[in-house]
Amino acid sequence: MTQKLSKTLVMKFGGTSVGSAEAMAQAVQIVKDAHAEWERVVVVTSAISGATNALLDSAARAVNGDLQAVLANEQWLISNHEKLADALISDPARREQVKQEIAQLVGSFGALCRAIGVLGEASPRAMDAVASLGERLSVRLLAAACESQGVPAKFVESTKLVVTNANFQNAHPDFGATTFATRSILNPLLEAGVVPIVTGFIGATPEGVVTTLGRGGSDYSAAILGAVLPADDVWIWTDVDGVMTADPRMVPAARTLLEISYGEVAELAYYGAKVLHPKTVRPVVEAGIGLRICNTFNPSHPGTRLVANGKNGKAARGEQVIKAVTAIHRQRLVTIEGRGMLGVPGVAARTFAAVASTGTSVPLITQASSEQSICFAVPSEAVDAVLAALEKVFATELADNDIDRVWATEDVAIITVVGTGTRNTPGVAGQIFSKLGDVNVNVLAIAHGSSDVSVSMVIESIDAEKSVRALHELIV
Ligand code: ADP
Ligand code: ASP
Ligand code: MG
């Protein structure tokens, strides 16, 4: 037997990587290979693709008394998970046991939705209880499928590992408590050569109430576990060959970036590239851990390696400045304007305090001279609450006509060009705007300069795809 690397690897599989029998078989093979090579391997898995959407959709419909969807989704969950059990668990007794656990969890999903139906409302806490079931189902299957291939594996619910606050649907981990819990539960398994198969996405409050880390949060789970163990490397297995120059669904010519800096990928993720959850980067950077993104369906491809940030905000010599382009949709641009704001201190502070009071975060801000207008983007679903908060906080100024109006556009998109040196390299902004001019796209707002590694522009939603494709032509 070859000598194992005396190291710890955390691997995360996304929904499509465990979403069919072929995919899960491939994931199991990857775990088997890693187990042979690395001393300690921890696996984090998402729910099978479609499961979290089905769960949340059912709960939302149950609020309106529509229990038909719940029935249909119960069937879907049972049949899709049983199909995987039939294909991947060789021991009949073990298969039966996993099927019973599936039936039990799906039963509790039905019960939760019916309770929601009776109440006519679903609290964020109840939504998390429902959403968590997808990962609680998939870990059981993946662990049993690994065992069937001779890999000693044990499923672990991360409610026992990841301790969070009670900010349901977007919970924040307590790293101290999570370090203690994770090490005490995972280390004995790892020392015994067992591969823990851990639920992504979920955690629990100190009292044990289930929380989730936000949609797409399994990447973040892998980073949290990697940071607290600590691991040497975290590998995110997904359905594309790593981080690409654009979303390949939007830009067929997109290609894989073999390397990207932590700063660049954080910017890409924050501005809409779904390939990595935006919160993933910070724990791994702070813990000094390697991060790699690779393709379950093409495991021999090296994927993307995250590397240290470029020096002095400049691209390395000979390196391409513009590395990738991304878009986020369903945003609104909010403007506060009025001559009475001219030079009045504190307008910006009051504006953003009001926005913050609605729990909304702001991805982009611009301001015209002397505070005559402030303009910023918010997610469309937050716009009503944001406008109401602003009208309340500026009620006196609006009544006195010091502020003329507070208003929002229809849906817009934010497109972001990412690359170290976009701020400090002459001519880059010119290239970007002339490219958009070539395809006749009007820019409604710009944020440039506060980041070393990105330029963001607000444009009409309808122009988003064509703009991303055009800007992608700047990447050679
Ligand atoms: P997983 O279920 O594995 O977490 P996701 O669907 O969350 O996978 O993320 C992978 C998807 O992200 C890809 O299939 C791709 O369509 C999309 N994507 C968006 N932008 C990019 C990008 N710049 N590079 C790679 N993939 C991207
Ligand atoms: N299953 C969760 C979701 O669909 C988390 C994840 O897949 O990362 O959002
Ligand atoms: Mg994802």
Side-chain angles (χ1 to χ4, degrees):
M1 202 171 130
T2 53
Q3 173 135 38
K4 290 188 182 188
L5 299 171
S6 169
K7 287 188 167 176
T8 306
L9 174 65
V10 173
M11 299 201 291
K12 175 259 172 177
F13 293 96
T16 37
S17 300
V18 291
S20 67
E22 297 72 37
M24 199 181 268
Q26 184 65 34
V28 170
Q29 186 59 45
I30 290 169
V31 176
K32 194 172 178 176
D33 292 345
H35 183 248
E37 253 185 59
W38 293 69
E39 182 130 313
R40 295 147 56 99
V41 176
V42 175
V43 169
V44 174
T45 183
S46 291
I48 67 168
S49 46
T52 312
N53 284 349
L55 292 163
L56 289 173
D57 180 57
S58 306
R61 285 168 187 246
V63 171
N64 303 317
D66 174 6
L67 292 174
Q68 271 318 103
V70 177
L71 282 176
N73 283 329
E74 275 178 318
Q75 280 311 314
W76 185 92
L77 289 164
I78 294 273
S79 80
N80 280 282
H81 287 92
E82 286 201 343
K83 235 186 270 171
L84 295 178
D86 286 333
L88 299 167
I89 306 175
S90 48
D91 176 51
R94 185 84 179 89
R95 193 188 317 138
E96 228 14 74
Q97 184 202 352
V98 171
K99 283 189 178 179
Q100 269 177 25
E101 290 174 17
I102 293 170
Q104 224 169 44
L105 286 168
V106 174
S108 65
F109 156 68
L112 273 166
C113 285
R114 278 180 270 280
I116 289 170
V118 171
L119 290 170
E121 66 174 356
S123 62
R125 174 176 169 162
M127 291 304 262
D128 275 356
V130 173
S132 69
L133 290 163
E135 275 71 9
R136 295 177 62 203
L137 286 162
S138 64
V139 275
R140 287 165 164 82
L141 273 169
L142 186 57
C146 285
E147 284 174 52
S148 292
Q149 288 303 313
V151 181
K154 188 168 186 300
F155 78 82
V156 178
E157 298 204 359
S158 54
T159 43
K160 298 200 167 63
L161 312 181
V162 180
V163 183
T164 72
N165 63 9
N167 190 14
F168 295 101
Q169 300 189 302
N170 191 20
H172 187 70
D174 171 339
F175 278 89
T178 300
T179 303
F180 181 75
T182 300
R183 289 185 187 170
S184 34
I185 292 178
L186 295 191
N187 281 344
L189 293 173
L190 292 167
E191 268 139 38
V194 173
V195 178
I197 311 281
V198 184
T199 50
F201 184 46
I202 66 184
T205 63
E207 297 75 33
V209 182
V210 178
T211 56
T212 67
L213 306 174
R215 293 304 307 269
S218 297
D219 300 332
Y220 188 30
S221 306
I224 295 167
L225 297 182
V228 302
L229 276 168
D232 297 278
D233 241 356
V234 174
W235 294 358
I236 306 286
W237 291 94
T238 183
D239 58 1
V240 287
D241 288 338
V243 179
M244 305 178 74
T245 48
D247 185 344
R249 285 175 300 194
M250 200 186 281
V251 183
R255 57 178 173 73
T256 299
L257 293 157
L258 293 176
E259 285 189 350
I260 186 165
S261 74
Y262 288 104
E264 289 168 334
V265 87
E267 213 65 10
L268 259 187
Y270 183 73
Y271 283 109
K274 202 185 160 212
V275 66
L276 198 67
H277 189 280
K279 289 186 180 166
T280 313
V281 177
R282 189 170 167 197
V284 290
V285 172
E286 287 182 355
I289 292 171
L291 182 62
R292 181 183 161 211
I293 295 142
C294 33
N295 190 349
T296 304
F297 305 95
N298 188 14
S300 59
H301 191 287
T304 302
R305 248 296 158 201
L306 275 287
V307 295
N309 293 337
K311 293 256 161 34
N312 317 319
K314 292 214 169 94
R317 191 191 294 269
E319 197 187 53
Q320 167 81 34
V321 173
I322 299 179
K323 286 235 179 95
V325 190
T326 178
I328 2 178
H329 297 269
R330 292 191 40 74
Q331 302 289 308
R332 301 277 186 99
L333 211 48
V334 176
T335 303
I336 304 177
E337 60 193 23
R339 300 259 160 88
M341 290 162 62
L342 193 88
V344 178
V347 174
R350 289 166 65 201
T351 299
F352 293 110
V355 177
S357 74
T358 67
T360 305
S361 72
V362 174
L364 179 144
I365 304 168
T366 67
Q367 189 188 337
S369 63
S370 310
E371 294 190 17
Q372 285 186 77
S373 81
I374 297 175
C375 172
F376 54 91
V378 294
S380 297
E381 65 271 14
V383 78
D384 289 341
V386 166
L387 289 179
L390 290 170
E391 277 159 14
K392 192 166 159 213
V393 78
F394 291 121
T396 312
E397 288 82 352
L398 283 162
D400 294 346
N401 290 327
D402 287 336
I403 289 179
D404 297 331
R405 58 182 190 142
V406 176
W407 61 284
T409 60
E410 290 301 307
D411 274 8
V412 292
I414 302 177
I415 45 173
T416 301
V417 172
V418 173
T420 302
T422 44
R423 178 171 64 185
N424 294 337
T425 311
V428 170
Q431 277 182 324
I432 292 170
F433 294 111
S434 70
K435 206 50 164 172
L436 291 176
D438 290 348
V439 288
N440 216 11
V441 169
N442 181 37
V443 176
L444 303 170
I446 304 163
H448 180 32
S450 52
S451 159
D452 263 354
V453 295
S454 72
V455 186
S456 292
M457 287 139 296
V458 179
I459 56 168
E460 303 278 1
S461 294
I462 196 169
D463 290 332
E465 287 213 20
K466 116 173 141 178
S467 303
V468 170
R469 285 205 198 101
L471 292 171
H472 192 264
E473 289 170 10
L474 296 172
I475 303 170
V476 284

